[in-house]
C-alpha cells in the first residue's frame, strides 16, 4: 500500500513576523452554519457543519447540477421540450413553491431550469426530473450518483424537490457547500446564466390572464456586493435555510445556514454572515492559475516525475488585520504516483499552515500527461533499481 508522502517544504517569504490577529467571533441562532473561502479552501466558520439535516429546497441545487452535467456533456440540449404530465400537475400545481405550469404544457429545459433555480418551483423540478430520467425515482438515482462523484459523503437524495419524505433526503452544510462549489467551478457559464437572476416570469393568472412574475428569494442578492447565488429552502421540519455565494475582488465565499426560525431571520443572518466573511477575513495570493508549485515522483511511467501546478488561483486566508508571519507550505500525495496520469488530474494537495495554526488545503493537478512506460522502459527502470541508481 502506498503511504502519503510529504514533499517540498516550501516557505512563503513575508514581512517580519508580528502578532497574528484573531478574527472576531461570529455567533448565530442558526442551528447549522458554515462558511468557506473558495480561493484558499479555508473554513472560516463551522457550526455543526456535518450534522445530518433535511435540505428542503436547497436539494434543488442537486437537481440543477444533474442537468448542468448533462448539458455540459451534450446529452441534454437547453432547447429540449418537456411535457407537463397531468399527474405531475395535479400533485404539484399548488404544493409549495410553483412555476405555475399548465397541464400538457411544453416547456424547454432552459425555462424549467429558471423555474427550479429562480422560482424554486416544485412543479418545475419534477417535470425536469421526469424529462431527464423518465421518473423522479430514476432521477434521484442520478442525483445520488453525482453526489458520490462530487465527494458529498453524507448526503442522500430521494426526490428532486427537497419535499419532506420522512427523513429519506438528508445532507449536511459541508456537502451543500461542496455542491455549490461544483456548480460555480465546473459550470461557470451555466451558473451565471441561471443563478443570480432577480426574477422570472412564467404562467398566467386566472381570469385576467396576466403574466406572473416572481422574485428570487435569495436574501443576499442585490444586497451584498458580488452576490450571485444560490438557493433558499424552507419546511416546517428543516426551518429556514440558505446556501449562498458572493465574489468580491476575486475572492469568493460560499455560506450555508440552516435551522433558522423565520423568513426575516434568514435574511438578517445570511447578510450578516456573508458580510462578516469579507470584513473579518482577508486573502493573500500564493500562486497564479497554472503556476508550477512542485513535482511528484511517478512509478512505471515514461517520466519519473510530473510537475504539479495550481488548477486555479491559490490564496491563503488570514483574519483581517493580521500582518507578518510565515505560513508554511508542503505538498502531500499518495506516492509514488502510478502511471498513467491524465493532464489536469488532481494528484496532490498543497497544505498551508498559517501562523495561528490553521490548516488550509488546496488541490494540485498534473501539468502534463504521463503514460505508462513500455517494455524497455520498465526493463531499464528495473535495472537501475537493481544497481541502486533509481
Amino acid at each position: 500500500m502506498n503511504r502519503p508522502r510529504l514533499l517540498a517544504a516550501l516557505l512563503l517569504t513575508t514581512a517580519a513576523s508580528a502578532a497574528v490577529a484573531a478574527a472576531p467571533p461570529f455567533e448565530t441562532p442558526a442551528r447549522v452554519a458554515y462558511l468557506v473561502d473558495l480561493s484558499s479552501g479555508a473554513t472560516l466558520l463551522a457550526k455543526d457543519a456535518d450534522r445530518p439535516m433535511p435540505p428542503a429546497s436547497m436539494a434543488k441545487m442537486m437537481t440543477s447540477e444533474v442537468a448542468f452535467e448533462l448539458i455540459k456533456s451534450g446529452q441534454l440540449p437547453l432547447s429540449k421540450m418537456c411535457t407537463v404530465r397531468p399527474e405531475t400537475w395535479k400533485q404539484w400545481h399548488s404544493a409549495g413553491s410553483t412555476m405555475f405550469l399548465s397541464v400538457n404544457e411544453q416547456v424547454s429545459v432552459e425555462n424549467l431550469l429558471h423555474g427550479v433555480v429562480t422560482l424554486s418551483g416544485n412543479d418545475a423540478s419534477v417535470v425536469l426530473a421526469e424529462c431527464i430520467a423518465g421518473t423522479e425515482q430514476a432521477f434521484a438515482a442520478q442525483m445520488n450518483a453525482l453526489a458520490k462523484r462530487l465527494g458529498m459523503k453524507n448526503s442522500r437524495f430521494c426526490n428532486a424537490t427537497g419535499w419532506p419524505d420522512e427523513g429519506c433526503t438528508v445532507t449536511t452544510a459541508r456537502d451543500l457547500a461542496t455542491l455549490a462549489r461544483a456548480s460555480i467551478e465546473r459550470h461557470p457559464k451555466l451558473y451565471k446564466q441561471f443563478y443570480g437572476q432577480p426574477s422570472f416570469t412564467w404562467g398566467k393568472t386566472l381570469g385576467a390572464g396576466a403574466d406572473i412574475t416572481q422574485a428570487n428569494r435569495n436574501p443576499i442578492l442585490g444586497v451584498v456586493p458580488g452576490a450571485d447565488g444560490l438557493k433558499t429552502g424552507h419546511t416546517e421540519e428543516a426551518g429556514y435555510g440558505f446556501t449562498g455565494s458572493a465574489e468580491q475582488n476575486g475572492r469568493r465565499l460560499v455560506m450555508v445556514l440552516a435551522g433558522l426560525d423565520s423568513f426575516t431571520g434568514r435574511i438578517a443572518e445570511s447578510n450578516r454572515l456573508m458580510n462578516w466573511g469579507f470584513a473579518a477575513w482577508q486573502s493573500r495570493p500564493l500562486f497564479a492559475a497554472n503556476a508550477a508549485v512542485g513535482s511528484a515522483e511517478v512509478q512505471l511511467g515514461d517520466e519519473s516525475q510530473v510537475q504539479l501546478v495550481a488548477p486555479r488561483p491559490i490564496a491563503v486566508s488570514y483574519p483581517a488585520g493580521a500582518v507578518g508571519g510565515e505560513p508554511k507550505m508542503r505538498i502531500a500525495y499518495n506516492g509514488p504516483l502510478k502511471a498513467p496520469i491524465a493532464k489536469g488530474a488532481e494528484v496532490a494537495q498543497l497544505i498551508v499552515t498559517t501562523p495561528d495554526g490553521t490548516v488550509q488545503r488546496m488541490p494540485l493537478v498534473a501539468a502534463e500527461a504521463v503514460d505508462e512506460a513500455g517494455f524497455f522502459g520498465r526493463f531499464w527502470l528495473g535495472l537501475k533499481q537493481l544497481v541502486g541508481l533509481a
Side-chain angles (χ1 to χ4, degrees):
M1 177 184 295
N2 289 327
R3 296 183 178 179
R5 292 175 58 98
L6 302 181
L7 297 182
L10 308 172
L11 192 63
L12 179 68
T13 300
T14 64
S17 297
V20 178
F26 186 91
E27 302 292 336
T28 176
R31 291 196 295 268
V32 172
Y34 186 64
L35 182 66
V36 61
D37 188 332
L38 296 195
S39 65
S40 65
T43 297
L44 309 184
L45 177 72
K47 179 182 179 181
D48 282 344
D50 297 307
R51 172 180 177 174
M53 64 181 188
S57 284
M58 290 185 288
K60 295 183 175 92
M61 291 164 53
M62 180 57 83
T63 299
S64 303
E65 186 64 14
V66 171
F68 286 0
E69 289 285 318
L70 293 171
I71 292 165
K72 182 180 179 179
S73 67
Q75 299 177 67
L76 183 66
L78 284 170
S79 59
K80 180 178 179 177
M81 302 304 291
C82 304
T83 302
V84 182
R85 297 189 314 119
E87 298 84 355
T88 303
W89 178 86
K90 182 178 180 180
Q91 182 178 1
W92 294 108
H93 77 282
S94 60
S97 302
T98 177
M99 185 180 172
F100 293 105
L101 297 171
S102 302
V103 177
N104 294 321
E105 185 176 8
Q106 295 282 303
V107 190
S108 68
V109 167
E110 181 176 6
N111 285 323
L112 285 173
L113 277 170
H114 283 300
V116 173
V117 174
T118 304
L119 307 183
S120 197
N122 291 322
D123 52 355
S125 300
V126 177
V127 170
L128 181 62
E130 293 174 340
C131 187
I132 289 174
T135 67
E136 188 177 8
Q137 183 179 16
F139 184 79
Q142 294 189 22
M143 297 170 78
N144 287 316
L146 180 56
K148 184 177 181 179
R149 294 199 302 273
L150 295 178
M152 298 172 64
K153 299 178 181 179
N154 298 300
S155 295
R156 180 180 64 244
F157 297 93
C158 299
N159 63 60
T161 61
W163 193 259
D165 53 10
E166 298 182 345
C168 187
T169 296
V170 65
T171 189
T172 66
R174 194 182 306 275
D175 279 1
L176 287 174
T178 296
L179 176 56
R181 180 171 203 155
S183 291
I184 293 165
E185 296 185 349
R186 293 164 67 95
H187 311 288
K189 292 183 179 179
L190 291 170
Y191 177 80
K192 184 177 180 180
Q193 180 177 356
F194 291 103
Y195 283 100
Q197 301 302 315
S199 64
F200 187 65
T201 300
W202 195 267
K204 301 284 185 180
T205 58
L206 294 176
D211 292 338
I212 301 173
T213 298
Q214 300 182 71
N216 193 327
R217 295 179 179 86
N218 185 325
I220 64 174
L221 195 63
V223 181
V224 174
D228 55 11
L230 292 153
K231 192 74 195 67
T232 57
H234 169 249
T235 63
E236 290 299 320
E237 177 187 18
Y240 289 84
F242 175 57
T243 300
S245 185
E247 185 175 21
Q248 296 180 13
N249 301 317
R251 181 173 169 232
R252 180 175 285 279
L253 305 184
V254 168
M255 58 161 285
V256 181
L257 288 174
L260 289 158
D261 60 7
S262 70
F263 180 85
T264 55
R266 178 172 64 190
I267 294 174
E269 288 303 292
S270 298
N271 281 276
R272 198 167 69 87
L273 177 54
M274 190 61 79
N275 285 324
W276 175 84
F278 283 114
W281 295 83
Q282 61 186 353
S283 183
R284 181 181 301 175
L286 295 179
F287 297 97
N290 300 314
V293 179
S295 62
E297 296 177 8
V298 178
Q299 184 179 52
L300 299 178
D302 60 1
E303 298 289 345
S304 61
Q305 291 189 328
V306 62
Q307 292 297 309
L308 303 173
V309 299
R312 53 179 170 77
I314 288 179
V316 61
S317 295
Y318 285 93
V323 294
E326 296 179 339
K328 297 179 180 179
M329 297 185 284
R330 68 185 191 274
I331 294 170
Y333 64 94
N334 290 324
L337 303 175
K338 289 185 178 180
I341 299 170
K343 179 180 180 179
E346 183 178 328
V347 293
Q349 285 189 327
L350 177 67
I351 301 178
V352 182
T353 304
T354 59
D356 65 349
T358 301
V359 176
Q360 302 173 29
R361 299 172 181 267
M362 300 80 149
L364 297 175
V365 302
E368 299 293 343
V370 179
D371 295 326
E372 288 183 286
F375 172 79
F376 289 107
R378 293 196 300 272
F379 174 79
W380 178 242
L381 179 61
L383 182 60
K384 289 197 296 182
Q385 290 175 335
L386 183 65
V387 299
L389 297 177

